[in-house]
Amino acid sequence: MMLQYIIEMDKTYHMSTFGSRIPAAFTHGEGSILYDSNGKAYIDFLAGIAVNSLGYNHPRLTEAIVSQAGKLLHCSNLFYIEAQAKLAKLLVENSCGSKVFFCNSGAEANEGAIKLARKYFSSKGMYKYEIITAYNSFHGRTLAALAATGQKKYQEPFQPMPEGFRHVPYNDLTALEQAVTENTAAIMVEPIQGEGGIIEGTMEYMQGVEEICRDNGLLMIVDEVQTGTGRTGKLFGYEHFGIQPDIITLAKGLGGGIPIGAIIAAGEAANAFEPGSHGSTFGGNPLACTAGLAVMETILEDGFLESVEQKGKLFKEGLINLKNDFGFIKDVRGKGLMLGMELDESIPGKAIVNKAFEKGFIINCAGHNTLRFVPPLIIKEDEIKQLLDALREIFAEIQP
Ligand SMILES: Cc1ncc(COP(=O)(O)O)c(C=O)c1O
């Protein structure tokens, strides 16, 4: 179908939540390469925003999905589901958690985590409900996840927000400590703020959050929707800090493109939900969990995470080299294959995104004028080098 016709149909029939999109419609992909409806190839450094962890048409993931689709797509959670049980086991065996609940998205995982924290305390007869999160965080678009999100611009049109959320500056332990009240149930934090512009939680901060939680009897929730499933070179972002959160939320990369979210909980929190406390029609269905299993098993293969770390190092070094040569690059941040490059305000990141797109590279802009790079985890070193060369060309046009 002609691109122009797709665009016209979209503008007529689809709610305009995504505004004017980049004028391309992709038809298929292979590895880290996407092809648009005109047959043009792009190297993808966005991966559907940190979702397509194994890239496109990954043999193991494709085979698993196709084979499962021929057997059983969905059955109710009224019955036992083999792939669900297996994926829960794999997540528990490879995390600090002990039980898992499956849902369909990041926002839903965070909603569930908020409910779990409240239920944990109400089961003990305690009225603790407040969740402290960070400014500039992003936890999702549903109402409670939105209330948790520390960015007013997303909340304003939808006031009033549900009660029970406080926001404090990220990486500020003093502010965090001062925000704890007798009603506080949990602290929810991203190990790296993704949508906020690839802002890294420091070692001192992440360990301090855990300590504040332990000292005050609070639950520590890490939102690993973007940092999880191998993105940072470890299976979970929290592993970089030697901490043990009580609740971990996942989505995005877990299904490699098939929608799935998860809440992993440890200790007593893992048993806080009782029959009837929470649920989801689609959550943990056979197709989604089969995809999750294929993704997890691949990521856990020998050498996979090491390769993410290695490629991330090479990528970051390349970005730092660019920073050394171009004065308008303010900062390079991130871990593994979750990297960001903040530009001076005089250079609109969106213009760079468009120029990269013309050259056949997909990147995007997040937070404050920050180019974000979250490619498929299977990206090749040579593909990273091609992007670095293209960025150098683009930057040289701006600052010869
Ligand atoms: C850290 C984090 N949490 C939650 C979400 C929401 O996920 P979803 O869009 O799947 O609801 C996102 C999405 O960008 C995210 O980055």
Side-chain angles (χ1 to χ4, degrees):
M1 189 179 276
M2 292 285 293
L3 177 62
Q4 199 46 43
Y5 184 59
I6 299 172
I7 293 174
E8 277 164 27
M9 261 202 310
D10 178 89
K11 289 203 183 302
T12 309
Y13 297 112
H14 190 263
M15 290 190 196
S16 68
T17 49
F18 302 107
S20 262
R21 308 190 204 206
I22 297 168
F26 299 110
T27 52
H28 64 288
E30 195 65 45
S32 295
I33 313 284
L34 270 174
Y35 297 88
D36 73 11
S37 49
N38 294 319
K40 181 175 169 184
Y42 302 79
I43 307 183
D44 183 14
F45 285 84
L46 185 59
I49 316 191
V51 167
N52 302 316
S53 38
L54 302 186
Y56 304 95
N57 198 21
H58 186 277
R60 184 171 188 168
L61 180 59
T62 304
E63 209 287 309
I65 294 168
V66 169
S67 154
Q68 186 59 43
K71 293 186 212 155
L72 181 67
L73 291 174
H74 177 81
C75 67
S76 165
N77 277 311
L78 294 172
F79 303 94
Y80 291 96
I81 298 171
E82 182 180 341
Q84 188 183 96
K86 281 184 172 168
L87 182 57
K89 179 171 184 277
L90 202 56
L91 287 170
V92 164
E93 285 173 350
N94 290 283
S95 71
C96 62
S98 46
K99 280 194 180 165
V100 181
F101 175 86
F102 289 108
C103 54
N104 309 284
S105 70
E108 204 185 329
N110 287 332
E111 290 277 334
I114 292 161
K115 281 180 70 179
L116 185 65
R118 289 187 175 187
K119 178 69 172 57
Y120 170 88
F121 286 105
S122 68
S123 299
K124 293 173 182 287
M126 294 160 86
Y127 188 55
K128 284 179 181 280
Y129 60 91
E130 232 165 47
I131 314 281
I132 306 175
T133 71
Y135 285 125
N136 200 44
S137 59
F138 189 86
H139 298 296
R141 304 273 192 169
T142 53
L143 270 176
L146 192 60
T149 293
Q151 302 194 53
K152 280 214 157 48
K153 66 177 179 195
Y154 294 121
Q155 300 176 343
E156 254 153 22
F158 307 105
Q159 295 293 353
M161 286 290 109
E163 273 181 48
F165 296 89
R166 278 175 177 246
H167 306 104
V168 290
Y170 193 56
N171 277 331
D172 183 340
L173 288 171
T174 311
L176 187 60
E177 215 159 9
Q178 283 168 0
V180 174
T181 71
E182 58 183 17
N183 297 325
T184 309
I187 297 171
M188 178 148 101
V189 66
E190 293 162 88
I192 300 175
Q193 291 187 331
E195 298 306 299
I198 315 291
I199 314 281
E200 295 179 64
T202 64
M203 181 69 82
E204 188 197 1
Y205 177 66
M206 293 301 289
Q207 292 183 346
V209 174
E210 187 189 41
E211 203 176 309
I212 293 173
C213 286
R214 299 294 162 255
D215 290 350
N216 293 278
L218 315 178
L219 296 174
M220 179 173 185
I221 306 172
V222 287
D223 178 343
E224 298 257 10
V225 168
Q226 198 157 146
T227 50
T229 337
R231 173 62 46 200
T232 66
K234 297 204 183 284
L235 189 57
F236 302 104
Y238 76 79
E239 294 174 48
H240 290 280
F241 306 98
I243 55 173
Q244 300 221 322
D246 302 289
I247 301 173
I248 303 154
T249 57
L250 288 178
K252 286 193 180 279
L254 180 58
I258 295 284
I260 181 169
I263 307 165
I264 309 174
E268 266 189 79
N271 295 313
F273 279 157
E274 296 166 281
S277 297
H278 197 53
S280 163
T281 296
F282 291 120
N285 89 2
L287 184 73
C289 288
T290 299
L293 266 176
V295 169
M296 279 288 291
E297 283 167 359
T298 305
I299 287 177
L300 289 169
E301 272 175 359
D302 270 356
F304 189 98
L305 285 168
E306 288 77 3
S307 86
V308 172
E309 194 188 346
Q310 180 54 32
K311 289 181 290 188
K313 230 173 119 201
L314 177 124
F315 198 166
K316 195 169 182 180
E317 275 165 18
L319 295 174
I320 290 170
N321 285 341
L322 289 170
K323 177 175 178 287
N324 293 338
D325 293 342
F326 296 98
F328 57 80
I329 301 174
K330 286 175 74 176
D331 201 8
V332 169
R333 299 184 290 262
K335 288 185 167 64
L337 289 172
M338 181 171 181
L339 298 173
M341 174 185 262
E342 185 177 343
L343 306 177
D344 186 83
E345 274 160 41
S346 59
I347 311 291
K350 278 201 175 141
I352 307 293
V353 169
N354 291 339
K355 281 182 193 288
F357 191 74
E358 281 165 23
K359 286 181 180 287
F361 297 91
I362 302 173
I363 58 175
N364 95 324
C365 208
H368 186 72
N369 214 26
T370 299
L371 302 179
R372 171 170 52 179
F373 310 99
V374 282
L377 303 180
I378 50 107
I379 190 106
K380 298 188 182 113
E381 287 192 3
D382 174 59
E383 291 165 333
I384 294 171
K385 286 187 185 137
Q386 288 185 53
L387 174 75
L388 291 169
D389 289 346
L391 286 175
R392 181 169 289 279
E393 270 177 41
I394 294 168
F395 292 160
E397 283 167 24
I398 297 168
Q399 180 194 291

